[in-house]
Amino acid sequence: MKKWLSLLFVVASMLFLSAGIVNAAKSEAMIPKLILDGKALQPKVPPIVMDKSVMIPVRIATESLGYKVDYDNNKKQVTVSNSKKKLVMTLDKPTAYLDSMPQQMVLPPTLKSNNILIPLRFLGDSLGVQVFWDNQSKSAFLFSSDDNEDGNNDGSDTTPPDGGLIGIVDPEEGEGNGDGSEVPPVTPNPPVDVTGTLYEVRYETDSVVLKYDGLIAPSHFKLDNPQRIVIDIPNTKYADTFLPLVDFTTMKEGSLLVTEHEALKSVRYSMFGDAVKSPRFVLDLNQAWDYEVLNDPTIGELRFILKKPLPDKSLFTVVLDAGHGGSDPGAISISKKAEKTFNLSVILKVQAILAIDERLKLVLTRSGDSFPSLSDRYNLANSIQADLFVSVHANSFTSSTNGTETYYTRADSKAFADLMHSLLVQATGLKDNGVRQRSFAVTRETKMPAVLIEAGYLSSKIDEPQMWTDDFQNRVAQAIATGIMQQLKLT
């Protein structure tokens, strides 16, 4: 009996250890790999998968991309910046700020072994990094925007043989097809049967046409720097009589020169891949164009129709400026509240009202308690060629002074100021102090119609108590939103 018990104990122990080894192996297999421009990164703390999202160490990813990373231990705040962008994130808080604009993260920054991890998806969206997830090899491929997309600077395109651009995909959202990166997957695809044959590529008016026979399943995507459209056709071969003729045993690629199109310069075609090679076509462009794909298997024709992008003037850009902020509180009210708080509250309410209109792009000079300089404010508006600029303030003088005022500087802003003031006076219900011309920096140096609003006086016993109520601020915000819509003729 003792022998049987001993044997049973040994078997149970072996099963327990085996289960532990299997579970450990599964856990280890799920540790994502991190590859930047074709080079594997080796962070001290590896990426992890949390709630179906890949979390990567912010320092190794961003510093490898040329960003500076600073951490404020008191604020639990990490700042990623370069000469063009500034991203501020706070530990365990889902709201980040990109160039002072609030951004929502799928998961908040997480601390692990003294390293801060952030969602891979958020990194790509915020810093303009191309990020692709290969579910087969559990690898995250990152491509910096200012380098060649393949990381080898030889001008070649290096997407896996059946690679279609899948964007940023979290590991549990679907198996995918193990592609989408510009670096061959760690586990190459096995050989596959050829189901289609290509006979010709030609250019017609605004179209690139491929003639084929059999069954094909093309994938296609756009790439920048330089602009081009890439088409991969797996499980397919070139016919011996393919036109234009090219001998791939002696030449790397063939080329079809295009001279009669505004954007398309040439069509390059080659065999591409690692373990399995497939036809690849690259449409070289001198500017970014859209395209439409038509595949008609009944006549064996795959057509890529090039489409010139529509002018972006159906989308208007409006800069909303909350006066003062940060170390500059502005005027202090009778009840000892700072003007900067009133200004920001109204601006955020305006943003909420207008955000639902897809014809508007809203840019805030500040969305929190920061202090952009006056030059920061008007330079921002000018650099993005905004259509309108609205600055919100609250005034202060003597206890007997009260009312609403609207200011402008340049003559081309007068009509906008008149319109905005007529709506504001009705909304505030305060004394009408009229439209006034003054040389304020934000209304003088901006290049678009610009107004500065003084909603009321924080030094007035009449104005101040009303100005801190939601009802008053909502009415002011609605008046500003209506003025913007009417000025842009969007009502």
Side-chain angles (χ1 to χ4, degrees):
M1 185 66 174
K2 289 183 179 179
K3 290 182 179 180
W4 279 107
L5 288 174
S6 299
L7 180 61
L8 181 61
F9 175 77
V10 170
V11 171
S13 300
M14 291 178 66
L15 289 173
F16 177 78
L17 290 172
S18 298
I21 293 171
V22 170
N23 288 335
K26 287 183 179 179
S27 175
E28 183 178 355
M30 271 305 295
I31 297 177
K33 303 176 182 67
L34 198 58
I35 301 170
L36 172 63
D37 292 331
K39 180 182 178 182
L41 302 179
Q42 301 294 334
K44 294 180 180 179
V45 175
I48 61 174
V49 176
M50 294 177 60
D51 295 336
K52 300 183 180 181
S53 293
V54 177
M55 303 287 287
I56 64 174
V58 62
R59 183 172 295 277
I60 189 168
T62 53
E63 287 186 346
S64 299
L65 289 165
Y67 286 83
K68 179 183 178 183
V69 181
D70 295 305
Y71 182 67
D72 187 328
N73 191 53
N74 294 327
K75 297 181 179 179
K76 305 298 181 185
Q77 202 169 75
V78 58
T79 301
V80 177
S81 62
N82 64 8
S83 60
K84 298 180 180 178
K85 290 186 178 182
K86 181 178 180 181
L87 177 63
V88 180
M89 299 167 286
T90 305
L91 203 62
D92 299 323
K93 291 188 178 180
T95 301
Y97 293 90
L98 178 62
D99 298 330
S100 299
M101 295 290 291
Q103 308 286 329
Q104 290 301 310
M105 308 174 73
V106 177
L107 291 173
T110 301
L111 188 65
K112 182 182 179 183
S113 301
N114 292 324
N115 282 262
I116 297 175
L117 279 67
I118 64 171
L120 172 64
R121 181 190 300 270
F122 183 75
L123 174 72
D125 290 346
S126 300
L127 303 185
V129 179
Q130 289 183 312
V131 183
F132 309 112
W133 171 259
D134 176 16
N135 200 64
Q136 183 178 7
S137 63
K138 299 297 183 288
S139 300
F141 294 92
L142 292 79
F143 298 93
S144 53
S145 58
D146 55 353
D147 292 333
N148 278 349
E149 64 285 348
D150 54 14
N152 54 16
N153 297 318
D154 63 1
S156 62
D157 300 292
T158 55
T159 302
D162 59 351
L165 186 66
I166 58 174
I168 306 171
V169 179
D170 286 333
E172 300 299 327
E173 287 184 354
E175 284 299 313
N177 53 10
D179 57 16
S181 71
E182 296 256 321
V183 178
V186 176
T187 52
N189 294 319
V192 291
D193 294 331
V194 172
T195 60
T197 303
L198 300 171
Y199 291 94
E200 180 187 11
V201 59
R202 68 177 186 269
Y203 171 76
E204 294 180 359
T205 305
D206 286 337
S207 297
V208 173
V209 182
L210 295 174
K211 294 294 293 183
Y212 70 91
D213 185 22
L215 181 65
I216 66 172
S219 61
H220 42 86
F221 52 92
K222 294 198 297 185
L223 290 173
D224 302 324
N225 301 320
Q227 298 287 340
R228 63 207 184 281
I229 299 167
V230 180
I231 307 157
D232 288 321
I233 311 180
N235 309 345
T236 307
K237 67 177 183 178
Y238 292 100
D240 294 337
T241 57
F242 182 85
L243 296 174
L245 288 172
V246 63
D247 184 358
F248 289 122
T249 63
T250 60
M251 299 177 63
K252 182 179 178 181
E253 65 179 18
S255 180
L256 173 66
L257 185 65
V258 178
T259 59
E260 59 267 40
H261 192 268
E262 181 180 350
L264 180 63
K265 299 186 296 182
S266 65
V267 179
R268 293 182 285 124
Y269 48 99
S270 62
M271 290 294 290
F272 175 80
D274 185 16
V276 179
K277 293 188 179 296
S278 302
R280 158 169 285 195
F281 294 82
V282 179
L283 281 55
D284 292 313
L285 308 172
N286 58 29
Q287 54 186 286
W289 273 45
D290 298 323
Y291 66 94
E292 178 184 353
V293 183
L294 296 178
N295 187 10
D296 189 345
T298 62
I299 61 174
E301 183 177 283
L302 177 64
R303 182 178 292 265
F304 284 77
I305 305 171
L306 297 171
K307 294 180 173 293
K308 189 171 185 176
L310 294 174
D312 195 25
K313 217 42 200 169
S314 60
L315 180 69
F316 294 93
T317 301
V318 179
V319 174
L320 302 176
D321 175 45
H324 305 284
S327 59
D328 177 12
I332 302 300
S333 73
I334 296 174
S335 57
K336 306 304 180 184
K337 297 176 184 176
E339 178 196 349
K340 65 178 183 178
T341 305
F342 171 86
N343 300 341
L344 181 60
S345 179
V346 171
I347 283 293
L348 294 177
K349 291 177 186 295
V350 176
Q351 180 191 33
I353 294 170
L354 295 177
I356 61 174
D357 196 313
E358 295 180 352
R359 297 169 295 179
L360 291 176
K361 178 181 178 181
L362 304 175
V363 178
L364 276 62
T365 58
R366 68 180 182 97
S367 56
D369 191 19
S370 60
F371 177 64
S373 67
L374 294 178
S375 60
D376 287 338
R377 300 172 199 243
Y378 60 70
N379 283 334
L380 170 64
N382 292 336
S383 67
I384 62 176
Q385 298 181 327
D387 296 281
L388 295 176
F389 181 95
V390 178
S391 185
V392 171
H393 288 255
N395 221 330
S396 179
F397 193 50
T398 67
S399 59
S400 60
T401 310
N402 70 307
T404 300
E405 302 150 14
T406 304
Y407 292 88
Y408 75 99
T409 301
R410 294 170 288 104
D412 64 349
S413 300
K414 177 65 164 58
F416 184 32
D418 288 340
L419 169 62
M420 189 64 77
H421 187 73
S422 66
L423 296 167
L424 282 167
V425 170
Q426 296 179 47
T428 64
L430 303 178
K431 178 186 174 185
D432 182 356
N433 288 334
V435 176
R436 302 178 178 183
Q437 187 175 22
R438 295 287 190 276
S439 184
F440 295 127
V442 293
T443 55
R444 181 185 67 244
E445 302 300 329
T446 42
K447 306 299 183 185
M448 69 293 305
V451 297
L452 186 148
I453 294 161
E454 296 281 7
Y457 278 76
L458 295 175
S459 55
S460 166
K461 293 182 179 180
I462 298 173
D463 296 1
E464 195 259 4
Q466 302 179 59
M467 294 173 68
W468 296 111
T469 66
D470 277 338
D471 180 58
F472 181 92
Q473 293 180 12
N474 287 335
R475 296 198 312 268
V476 171
Q478 184 60 64
I480 294 172
T482 301
I484 290 170
M485 296 293 286
Q486 290 185 6
Q487 178 69 16
L488 297 175
K489 296 180 170 55
L490 295 179
T491 54

